[in-house]
Amino acid sequence: MGGFGQNKIQYRHFDWHVLAGKHVDVFFYPEEERIARAALVYAEQSYDTLARRFGHEVRERIPLIVYASHVDFEQTNILPFVPPEGILGVTEFLKRRVALPFRGSYSEFRHTLRHELVHVFELSILAREATLHPRSRPPAIPLWWSEGLAEFLSGDQDSRDEMVVHDLVLGGRLPTLVELGPVVSPIVYAVGGDAHRFLASQFGAWRIPLVYEALWKASSFGEALERAYGRDAGRLSAEWHHDLRRRHFPSVGDREPLTLAGTRLASLALKPVAVEVGDSSHVAYLSPRSGYTNIYLQSLDPDGRARVVVEGERSPEFESLHPFSSRIDVRDGVLLFASRFGERDALVFWDIAGGRVTGRYQFDGLVSLLSPQWSPSGDRVAFSALSDSGVSDLYVLRLPSGELTRVTADVYEDLDPTWLPHGRALVFSSDRGPHGPDGAHNLYRVELSGEIAALTSGAWSDESPRWDPRTSRILFTSDRAGAFDLYTIDTLGAGRRETRLTGGLFDAAPVPNEERVLVSAYADRSWSLYAVRKDPEDDSSFTLSNGVLAAWRWRELDDTTAMRVASRRYERRYSIDFAAGVAATAPGIGGAQGAQLVFSDLLGDHQFAFSISSFQGEARNVLGSLNGNVFYLNQSRRVNWGVGAFRVSGNFAESG
């Protein structure tokens, strides 16, 4: 059962097929076969790597269920709830099924897949230890260890995780390993990953399996750590904290705190855009601070009151506004944004003054729409979209005819388009550069005819470009100096760094006719809306020597073994989910027995439940007091249905 007011709807019927590898079975539907074959290769490569790391083999085959989008993933029946947009993958404990969506990013998909396979190995090792020591009662493993280990073994720590750790270090809020024990917030991914990297660098990653081997004889997880690392949790924490301070404190001299360099306008605010209301400047932004994600409007006065313009997550037409992945835009009082509406996203045109929808567009074959932006002339809208087969491209919608043009067409992730002032080209962020397979994003210019040229290049993330008409430059944020700061670039690729601030700056939006830039910033363990000024004294500059594209292919698609694997249709087989039995006797009254069994198929679409019980006051009355029921539930379609039969018999007494 999910949360109150939220139903899991099966919008589409998936035609499941299976690719069988040596250790992993990949479940997929035909539209995403390319993704599935790449997933099989990387899953088998990851299995071999992790088997060597842990010195362990998983005895059971690993089911890997791949979806072509998060919208499809939200319909999965291997989870009893609707997975929120922040969940990029899951490992289900009972049957050790791994499920994850492809969201357009090759690097993100590989990272999440490896992360979840680490959890499969963890569960398998714990099962082995339980078999070897059946009478032991091992302590619980904290999330910082399990999630941090999965992050550590899935790749290097990225700049966003580093940003979270950096904020804790400079704020003097570093938790000890013991204090991290009960923490269940997402911070455990970044902090736990950093702790594992420190432990591995100082004591060797070979000690990781020793922790699991020590659990059966430990009274606490801290004791297991001490047995594996030779130091108690307090000493390990002190050494880790010293290393963190040594690494992060030197940056204080180079960077200015956001609280000094900018004006804080709102808390928990994302994806800002400047809005002209009469003769004054306002800002519109997304925020989940009320418990629902809404679009707010407020003046640029720090004391200005915010009002809700669009109420999100309370009706089918605004089911999700994608606050962490999709920007909003405004022109002539009409707000433009993407929203989940039924089985796919829609582009929504909202009249701010009238408080109503003036237009809505959905497109066959496009399931996810992100970051729409008005053209300079107002007759077109550019946006990024993910297709039903998991391909991320740029599109242009012509108004009011609804004519749709695909601008890019390839395997790369293309995000956050912004128009150049003449309206004949877009600038966008993409992983199509030479460092794209490792997660880097750079800026590119694409003519509406489809010709693409690089504006930036490097092993970093250049994100969220926006045209600034006052300076005739493109604003964007980048972590090329280690943390996300504000940069600008002209249309020929000549750029410069504009800020040196602590925390991280994202989604820069210029304020018309002003030096100030609106940003969503991470500082003090939260996201806030700031207005910052560019630093005129910063002379850091860069220039791209040429605009030549360096295309790449998915590494896994070049593996011929995956291409030779024949797929087969999914065959429904049932396995047990739950079994319980009970027996009791009362002298002079009688005895009672009962049992319950629940079975389901691997995808969780079909479920059988059985129960049987009996109460006997006399031995000859066993069959007469036999009770039972059987129930079948089908959750594979939009209309769930079930059928069952039961028998109730025996003597019952009721007392007031």
Side-chain angles (χ1 to χ4, degrees):
M1 179 179 295
F4 176 76
Q6 185 177 33
N7 298 318
K8 182 183 291 187
I9 300 175
Q10 298 291 322
Y11 288 106
R12 57 183 295 190
H13 179 67
F14 299 108
D15 181 17
W16 289 104
H17 289 65
V18 184
L19 291 170
K22 185 178 180 180
H23 307 95
V24 178
D25 291 327
V26 177
F27 295 77
F28 71 100
Y29 37 96
E31 299 94 320
E32 54 164 3
E33 183 170 352
R34 175 181 57 89
I35 298 170
R37 292 191 179 276
L40 176 61
V41 175
Y42 189 64
E44 292 291 349
Q45 292 173 354
S46 295
Y47 179 96
D48 293 339
T49 299
L50 295 175
R52 291 192 298 269
R53 282 272 195 169
F54 286 107
H56 176 78
E57 297 284 343
V58 178
R59 296 179 59 185
E60 302 83 6
R61 296 190 64 77
I62 303 171
L64 175 60
I65 305 164
V66 177
Y67 294 86
S69 68
H70 206 285
V71 171
D72 289 351
F73 178 53
E74 291 169 21
Q75 301 170 54
T76 184
N77 280 322
I78 75 165
L79 296 175
F81 57 88
V82 178
E85 289 184 20
I87 294 182
L88 304 183
V90 64
T91 300
E92 182 263 345
F93 283 17
L94 182 63
K95 299 182 180 180
R96 297 176 195 168
R97 296 168 289 188
V98 174
L100 73 163
F102 182 78
R103 307 198 312 165
S105 170
Y106 168 86
S107 174
E108 177 191 86
F109 184 70
R110 296 173 82 247
H111 180 96
T112 305
L113 198 161
R114 174 74 67 89
H115 179 109
E116 299 304 331
L117 287 182
V118 173
H119 289 322
V120 172
F121 272 84
E122 288 180 295
L123 293 173
S124 180
I125 292 171
L126 290 173
R128 179 198 66 187
E129 294 299 312
T131 301
L132 293 174
H133 311 286
R135 307 183 76 176
S136 67
R137 294 293 181 268
I141 298 177
L143 277 181
W144 77 260
W145 173 272
S146 59
E147 297 296 352
L149 178 61
E151 286 294 287
F152 167 58
L153 295 180
S154 300
D156 296 332
Q157 183 152 306
D158 66 21
S159 54
R160 281 176 168 79
D161 286 344
E162 190 77 1
M163 173 184 73
V164 173
V165 175
H166 184 80
D167 182 72
L168 290 172
V169 174
L170 296 192
R173 302 186 183 91
L174 284 175
T176 65
L177 297 179
V178 173
E179 291 169 339
L180 273 175
V183 176
V184 296
S185 74
I187 200 174
V188 297
Y189 291 82
V191 178
D194 193 282
H196 270 286
R197 288 177 177 86
F198 168 76
L199 293 173
S201 67
Q202 296 298 311
F203 304 100
W206 60 269
R207 294 180 184 268
I208 292 170
L210 301 183
V211 174
Y212 295 94
E213 295 170 8
L215 283 172
W216 72 273
K217 52 190 173 184
S219 60
S220 67
F221 185 77
E223 183 182 339
L225 274 182
E226 186 173 358
R227 288 177 178 271
Y229 289 95
R231 289 169 169 79
D232 62 29
R235 176 64 183 271
L236 290 174
S237 296
E239 293 182 5
W240 173 45
H241 287 183
H242 174 69
D243 181 71
L244 284 169
R245 295 184 181 101
R246 180 182 57 80
R247 286 188 282 130
H248 290 274
F249 276 1
S251 69
V252 174
D254 297 330
R255 294 177 175 272
E256 188 177 9
L258 264 168
T259 51
L260 298 179
T263 302
R264 188 171 178 270
L265 301 176
S267 62
L268 203 56
L270 305 161
K271 309 295 181 183
V273 61
V275 181
E276 292 295 310
V277 179
D279 296 328
S280 61
S281 294
H282 287 60
V283 57
Y285 56 86
L286 292 158
S287 175
R289 61 174 174 247
S290 70
Y292 298 98
T293 298
N294 301 320
I295 299 179
Y296 291 83
L297 182 69
Q298 75 174 66
S299 71
L300 294 185
D301 183 344
D303 299 322
R305 295 185 59 184
R307 66 181 179 91
V308 176
V309 177
V310 179
E311 293 185 339
E313 301 177 349
R314 276 163 283 190
S315 66
E317 61 179 348
F318 302 135
E319 187 174 333
S320 174
L321 302 181
H322 313 309
F324 284 94
S325 57
S326 183
R327 299 190 302 188
I328 60 179
D329 198 21
V330 67
R331 178 187 174 90
D332 298 332
V334 177
L335 194 63
L336 177 61
F337 59 93
S339 171
R340 174 80 175 276
F341 183 35
E343 64 178 338
R344 58 188 66 243
D345 282 350
L347 290 183
V348 180
F349 297 78
W350 179 273
D351 180 6
I352 296 177
R356 62 187 181 90
V357 173
T358 58
R360 181 185 287 113
Y361 291 84
Q362 288 183 295
F363 310 98
D364 292 337
L366 301 183
V367 63
S368 176
L369 311 179
L370 300 173
S371 301
Q373 191 182 54
W374 288 103
S375 68
S377 58
D379 62 342
R380 289 165 297 170
V381 170
F383 59 93
S384 171
L386 192 69
S387 71
D388 287 335
S389 59
V391 176
S392 171
D393 284 310
L394 300 182
Y395 294 81
V396 169
L397 170 69
R398 183 170 291 278
L399 302 172
S401 67
E403 177 189 353
L404 187 67
T405 301
R406 186 176 180 179
V407 180
T408 60
D410 44 52
V411 300
Y412 309 115
E413 183 181 39
D414 300 334
L415 301 172
D416 294 332
T418 188
W419 291 89
L420 293 181
H422 50 61
R424 298 189 300 273
L426 302 167
V427 173
F428 63 102
S429 177
S430 177
D431 63 356
R432 64 182 60 238
H435 303 283
D438 299 316
H441 283 68
N442 298 125
L443 300 188
Y444 297 84
R445 170 179 174 152
V446 58
E447 305 295 327
L448 296 188
S449 61
E451 181 183 352
I452 302 174
L455 291 178
T456 66
S457 179
W460 44 69
S461 290
D462 299 330
E463 300 180 354
S464 305
R466 274 194 190 269
W467 178 257
D468 183 358
R470 193 187 68 83
T471 62
S472 296
R473 297 178 69 83
I474 300 158
L475 287 166
F476 67 101
T477 58
S478 176
D479 64 348
R480 60 180 60 212
F484 279 95
D485 263 305
L486 182 63
Y487 293 78
T488 64
I489 194 170
D490 64 21
T491 56
L492 299 178
R496 62 173 179 259
R497 185 176 177 180
E498 302 287 359
T499 60
R500 294 176 179 268
L501 305 177
T502 58
L505 307 185
F506 300 87
D507 298 303
V511 179
N513 305 314
E514 287 194 29
E515 277 282 347
R516 293 188 297 174
V517 177
L518 302 172
V519 294
S520 179
Y522 184 86
D524 297 326
R525 297 176 294 172
S526 184
W527 296 88
S528 299
L529 173 65
Y530 278 84
V532 300
R533 294 183 183 276
K534 292 175 286 187
D535 184 1
E537 298 180 359
D538 196 326
D539 59 356
S540 300
S541 60
F542 56 90
T543 302
L544 185 66
S545 58
N546 59 68
V548 177
L549 292 175
W552 55 270
R553 281 177 51 82
W554 285 22
R555 300 163 186 166
E556 291 76 15
L557 294 179
D558 294 325
D559 190 304
T560 58
T561 58
M563 297 303 106
R564 291 196 298 263
V565 174
S567 67
R568 57 178 170 83
R569 281 190 173 275
Y570 167 65
E571 296 178 4
R572 195 186 314 163
R573 293 187 177 93
Y574 293 90
S575 59
I576 195 164
D577 292 346
F578 176 80
V582 65
T585 183
I589 299 177
Q593 304 85 34
Q596 290 181 314
L597 295 170
V598 178
F599 297 86
S600 68
D601 72 319
L602 187 67
L603 296 173
D605 294 336
H606 305 270
Q607 189 176 91
F608 282 97
F610 305 88
S611 70
I612 187 170
S613 62
S614 177
F615 171 76
Q616 309 94 39
E618 301 176 10
R620 65 177 181 272
N621 199 31
V622 174
L623 295 178
S625 298
L626 193 65
N627 299 277
N629 72 69
V630 58
F631 180 75
Y632 166 72
L633 177 63
N634 186 316
Q635 302 178 98
S636 65
R637 303 297 179 103
R638 182 161 186 164
V639 176
N640 295 172
W641 61 273
V643 61
F646 63 90
R647 180 180 190 270
V648 178
S649 179
N651 297 321
F652 299 87
E654 181 177 347
S655 59

